[in-house]
Amino acid sequence: MLSLKKYLTEGLLQFTILLSLIGVRVDVDTYLTSQLPPLREIILGPSSAYTQTQFHNLRNTLDGYGIHPKSIDLDNYFTARRLLSQVRALDRFQVPTTEVNAWLVHRDPEGSVSGSQPSSGLALESSSSLQDVAGPDSGVRESDTEQGFSGDLEDLGAVAPPVSGDLTKEDIDLIDILWRQDIDLGAGREVFDYSHRQKEQDADKEQRDGSGEQEDTWADAGAEALARDLLVDGETGESFPAQFSEVTSLPEAVPSENESPALQNSLLSPLLTGTESPFDLEQQWQDLMSIMEMQAMEANTSTGDVLYGAPPGDALGTNYSLAPSTPINQNVSLHQASLGGCGQDFSLFSPEVESLPAPGSSPALLPLAPSNSSGLNSTFGPAGLAGLFFPPQLNGTANDTAGPELPDPLGGLLDEAMLDEISLMDLAIEEGFHPAQASRLEEEFDSDSGLSLDSSHSPSSLSGSEGGASSSSASSAASSTSSSAAASFSEEGAVGYSSDSEALDLEEAEGAVGYQPEYSKWCRMSLQGAAPLPRLPFPEHVGHNHTYNLAPGALDAGDAAPAGGPRKGAREKPAELLEKQPSRDEHRARAMQIPFTNDKIVNLPVEEFNELLAKHPLSEAQLSLVRDIRRRGKNKMAAQNCRRRKLDTILNLERDVEALRRDKARLLREKLEALRALRQLRQKLQSLYQEVFGRLRDEQGRPYSPSRYALQYAGDGSVLLLPRALAEQQARRQERKPKERRK
DNA sequence: CGGCACTGTCATCCG
DNA sequence: AACGGATGACAGTGC
């Protein structure tokens, strides 16, 4: 029982954390309104059913919990440190290194250094130090972007402490490992050095006017690199073309005159002209985090290896698997991802290129992207995409004749942001949702989704018991539902709380009326007798020797329900113990010479109870005692019932959260698959575009210049060859419409 | 000895 | 109005 409670409270913690996480990233309302009354009540106003029993303990000392004060006293079970460590653990598992980098890169299209890190705690701190890099005016933007994620978390109370807390040794180790492994986190190492940051912050407060001292090494390195159109990765020290500086969010430093018209005139430009992401990048980040969260969750379970372990032969999957023992995996592709989104996409997901040696592809790509294309405001280097989609000779023709800005001959179909997202989502897919694994996960989820965890079943089952024979059908239904839920739940390796169903079945079999006095006791016995679950080893016995439970043997045979086999066996030992130690009320009854048993007093229906009293002439004192005994007995059962229901509610909530997480992961996975399919379609479309365009000849039999002409898709499905300028106008017109619609 | 978990009991609300 | 279920709060008990 101790372990059970322990587990429950663990679950509560996870639940709380999840609430904060889900609350940030998931529209929980839909679930709340339709599926999950408990969650709704937890968030919108908890009922007493969800309160813990230790009400006399200290109230929450952690500020910022979005839970009603009457709700669970988390701090009773978990110190702030433990909560913090859990959150950190989540972060660590969620964001295995470099996907974060990619999101970092693209979160802020304005180019300010948002410096978002996977760990919310890190994110808040790193932002403060990165502020110096982006310039003094970046503070506002930074706060805007950062609070979108981290701030929400903090508001929900999940991660408030880490903000000011020291980095744990694990954090520091992790950072060191990342740094050593040359994995781009999107920020200089100093960002993670707490002491360094502390100094910076202190100095920042004192000398807000900003002396040269405060510039961190990254900024220095970056400034030097800018002088030669190169930027230096603050972590790795690598230099790379200024084009990628946009990726690292230093756009204002990129000289625009370095644009290469030739590159911008690449036919691929249509892929990159979209500056407005159709998707909320923040949401995407959260989605990605969610996937990682799922990974972390599953990685902690015994099934995690099966679910997320890469199938044999899948090198990427192997590299990205999140075995807890090896939370960080060095992967060249990841490194490339930090260099440029295109390269990342290229090496990771392009089927043609995946076979290429990853280390070699990066330098091969770099010459194709010698300069920035700021006019496109693109995070992807166009050349990289050109290399992805176009044969070299086509690139050559494009480079020869193209103008500075190219319209979108594909009518905005190939949105850069979409590609951006696709690549990132694909990364997520490769990370945790390999198709085979995904299908398995889906199966698991589907099987689990059958567990309607509506907490209403719990009260209904109870009412069924009290309804007696008249409500046997309802009780049976509730019982079966609960039974299946409990069974499936046990199979999951979670807490198997089957007392509800078993007890009900028993009651039905016995035709018992009302809540039997031994009910809760028997429930506990059955729990103790149940096979220990993998994650929740039950204690051998409950050590408490509370004597309030009446000895079943004291029951009058005519009054007590006939004991079934398992029930009898389950209570044999406790019965013996209890017989030795009668309850206080039994003592009183004996002292007052009450001529019938306490069980009779408590469990008889009112009419029979009154008849009993009428049969036996009792004194006022005896009468009062009998009524008190009855009252106390009833209340005792009610209290047990209440507590058990509370437990059920908590368990159901936990299962609901699990189901929600799986649901979310499934939806996310489906989204990723859809995006991947879309990407393939786009590639196909692009190749067809190239093929068609390449075959077009003017009157003199010369090929059309891709820089001057573009294919325009008409609404009726026809394809028109238009001058670029015209096509561009149309593309802009089409862009405005959805924008207005969005507004 | 203090903390914790469990349990019983009381007070109160409510149907 | 009595009864009883539900539940917050508190106290007792054992580990």
Side-chain angles (χ1 to χ4, degrees), chain A residues 9 52-61 69 71-78:
Chain A
T9 48
Q52 266 288 2
T53 57
Q54 303 296 332
F55 306 104
H56 53 284
N57 286 318
L58 293 175
R59 282 287 159 205
N60 278 337
T61 54
S71 185
I72 305 147
D73 279 335
L74 284 175
D75 63 328
N76 184 38
Y77 304 95
F78 312 101

Side-chain angles (χ1 to χ4, degrees), chain A residues 494-631:
Chain A
V495 176
Y497 191 74
S498 57
S499 63
D500 192 349
S501 58
E502 292 175 1
L504 280 169
D505 292 339
L506 186 65
E507 279 187 323
E508 289 166 27
E510 297 170 350
V513 175
Y515 215 31
Q516 294 305 313
E518 303 85 6
Y519 173 62
S520 60
K521 188 170 51 188
W522 180 84
C523 286
R524 275 180 283 282
M525 294 305 119
S526 68
L527 271 179
Q528 295 158 24
L533 293 162
R535 288 169 56 186
L536 183 73
F538 281 94
E540 287 302 316
H541 57 80
V542 176
H544 299 279
N545 184 18
H546 300 288
T547 59
Y548 287 91
N549 286 335
L550 295 178
L555 283 174
D556 194 320
D559 296 327
R567 186 179 189 170
K568 195 171 183 178
R571 70 184 181 190
E572 272 179 1
K573 284 186 179 179
E576 291 174 4
L577 290 175
L578 291 170
E579 275 180 340
K580 292 174 184 175
Q581 294 181 325
S583 69
R584 289 183 294 190
D585 274 341
E586 284 201 337
H587 278 302
R588 292 190 198 114
R590 285 180 191 173
M592 295 286 285
Q593 295 179 343
I594 304 297
F596 28 78
T597 66
N598 283 27
D599 275 316
K600 266 190 180 181
I601 296 173
V602 173
N603 297 310
L604 279 181
V606 184
E607 294 177 2
E608 294 181 35
F609 176 67
N610 288 334
E611 288 177 10
L612 196 67
L613 291 184
K615 282 181 195 172
H616 304 271
L618 298 174
S619 66
E620 278 298 317
Q622 282 177 317
L623 217 55
S624 175
L625 177 62
V626 166
R627 296 200 179 278
D628 279 347
I629 289 173
R630 183 175 174 87
R631 180 80 204 100

Side-chain angles (χ1 to χ4, degrees), chain A residues 701-719:
Chain A
R702 292 175 298 183
Y704 285 98
S705 168
S707 57
R708 289 187 215 154
Y709 294 94
L711 292 177
Q712 183 79 37
Y713 301 105
D716 57 356
S718 61
V719 179

Side-chain angles (χ1 to χ4, degrees), chain A residues 667-684:
Chain A
L667 293 173
L668 209 53
R669 189 181 61 246
E670 290 172 0
K671 179 185 176 185
L672 298 181
E673 288 168 358
L675 286 173
R676 174 179 274 178
L678 179 62
R679 184 173 67 91
Q680 291 175 352
L681 283 177
R682 282 179 168 178
Q683 289 180 354
K684 194 172 181 181

